[in-house]
Amino acid sequence: MQTPPASTAAPSSASTTASESTTASASPAASASASPVGSASPAGSTAFRDLVPGIAGMALVGSSVTVSRALVDAPLFATQAVRYAAAALLLCALARVARVPIHRPRGREWLWLAGIAATGLVLFNVAVVRGVAHAEPAVIAVAVASVPILLGLLGPVLEGRRPSRRVLLAAPVVVAGAVLVEGTGRTDAAGVAWAALALGCEAAFTLLAVPVLRRHGAWGVSVHAVWLGALMLAGLTVVFESPAALSSLGRAQWAATGYLAVMVTAVAFLLWYRTVAAVGAGRAGLLTGIAPLAAAGAGVLTGSGVPGPAVWLGLLVVIVGLGAGLRPDRAPRSTPTLPV
C-alpha cells in the first residue's frame, strides 16, 4: 500500500492501505486488532462490512496519484523517510489514545515485519522510481494491478486454506479491467524487470503480514512495518542522499508528504490490514482493483480530463470482477424438522 508513480494507479508500494475517517478508524480498528484474528471476524468472512475498510484504503492509495506528482523532483529516500517517520509517530499516538496495546515482536516475527518494510515500503518505491525511467508509468501500474492473482493463489496457502475458486476466477477479470484503465506503453527489458519487482513487492506487502496479523493485528503490523521502513529509508538517505536535501522542499511538497504520511500510510495501512485479517489475503487482493478507479476519479476532479471509452470499459470490467469475487457465499439451507 505504497505511493504509486505520479501518473499510475497503485496498489504501493505496496499496499496499502472504507467509509471510515481518520478519527473514526481508531476505535473500530482497535477492537479488531486487540483480539486475535478470527475471534470476532474470521479470515474468509463474506460480510460486506469487513470489506469496507479495505475499499477505503485502496481508494486512498488511488487518490494519492495526484498528490504524488508534487514530489517528482523531491529527494526520494529523504522524503519517504520523513513520510514514514511521521506516520509511525501518528500511529503510536492514535494507538495510545485508543488504548490498543502494541506488542513487541519476537523471534521470527522480526523477519516478517522487516520483510514488509523492506519490500512493501522501500524496494517498491525504488522499483517505481527506477522503473519509470525505462518504461511508461502505465506499464508499472499494469504490472502492479496483477497482484490479485498472486494474492488469490498464495494468500490462502499462508493462511492454511485452499484458494477460493471464485476468487481465482475473478482475479484475472479485475486485472483485465485495471489494464484497460491504465492502458499500455513503451518499455525495455530493464523496465519489465523493474515492473516485475514492483509486482512482487506489492504482493509481499500483504502476504508477509499474514503470519503476524493474528498476534499483532492491524495496529501492530502497521506500527512496526512503518517505523522499520523509516529506519531503512533514513539509512539510505545518509548513504545515497543527504538529510540537508529536505531544505529544498517547498510548501506544496511538504503538504504532499503530510498527506501521504497521514492518509495513505497511517490510515490506509490500518484499514487495509484490518480487511486482510477479516476476509483473508485472497479476497482482499481483489480490492486492489479499487485503486485504478479512485485514480481515474481523482484525475477527473483535478481537471486531468474525462476518461476515454477504454477507461470506462475497464472500470466496468473491474466492477464486474469485484462483484463476482466478493459476492457473499450462500448460507447452507437448513433441513426443516417435521413435527412428530
Side-chain angles (χ1 to χ4, degrees):
M1 197 100 48
Q2 309 61 248
T3 306
S7 59
T8 71
S12 110
S13 235
S15 121
T16 359
T17 321
S19 55
E20 299 180 54
S21 63
T22 306
T23 54
S25 66
S27 55
S31 60
S33 304
S35 58
V37 175
S39 57
S41 187
S45 166
T46 57
F48 178 74
R49 66 176 179 275
D50 291 326
L51 299 172
V52 172
I55 293 173
M58 276 297 126
L60 288 173
V61 170
S63 70
S64 71
V65 173
T66 301
V67 176
S68 66
R69 291 175 180 169
L71 300 176
V72 171
D73 298 323
L76 172 63
F77 297 131
T79 304
Q80 295 297 328
V82 170
R83 165 192 174 181
Y84 290 118
L89 292 175
L90 177 60
L91 284 168
C92 289
L94 290 175
R96 180 179 292 273
V97 171
R99 297 182 180 180
V100 178
I102 304 298
H103 302 295
R104 179 186 177 88
R106 59 192 183 193
R108 294 182 180 179
E109 291 176 347
W110 283 107
L111 296 178
W112 294 112
L113 294 167
I116 296 172
T119 58
L121 277 63
V122 179
L123 273 179
F124 178 85
N125 284 292
V126 173
V128 166
V129 173
R130 296 293 179 262
V132 294
H134 295 271
E136 292 183 5
V139 175
I140 307 297
V142 167
V144 172
S146 301
V147 74
I149 296 179
L150 286 181
L151 295 184
L153 286 170
L154 301 179
V157 174
L158 290 175
E159 295 161 349
R161 299 183 292 110
R162 278 187 172 186
S164 167
R165 181 181 179 184
R166 178 181 298 172
V167 171
L168 292 180
L169 292 176
V173 177
V174 174
V175 172
V179 169
L180 286 172
V181 172
E182 291 300 333
T184 57
R186 64 166 184 83
T187 184
D188 55 22
V192 172
W194 285 117
L197 178 59
L199 168 61
C201 289
E202 179 60 17
F205 178 78
T206 297
L207 294 175
L208 294 179
V210 171
V212 289
L213 270 172
R214 181 170 296 278
R215 192 171 87 87
H216 291 276
W219 283 89
V221 172
S222 298
V223 168
H224 292 308
V226 169
W227 74 258
L228 284 169
L231 282 182
M232 295 176 187
L233 286 161
L236 291 172
T237 299
V238 173
V239 175
F240 296 103
E241 296 176 348
S242 170
L246 291 172
S247 62
S248 64
L249 296 183
R251 184 176 300 176
Q253 292 174 317
W254 279 114
T257 302
Y259 176 84
L260 295 175
V262 176
M263 301 303 295
V264 183
T265 304
V267 176
F269 278 30
L270 285 176
L271 296 175
W272 178 250
Y273 283 134
R274 183 182 177 189
T275 291
V276 173
V279 307
R283 298 186 75 231
L286 294 177
L287 297 179
T288 57
I290 297 293
L293 307 187
V300 174
L301 294 177
T302 55
S304 298
V306 178
V311 173
W312 289 112
L313 176 60
L315 297 180
L316 178 60
V317 172
V318 169
I319 293 172
V320 170
L322 290 174
L326 300 175
R327 187 174 71 251
D329 296 325
R330 292 181 180 179
R333 295 182 179 180
S334 57
T335 304
T337 303
L338 299 176
V340 179

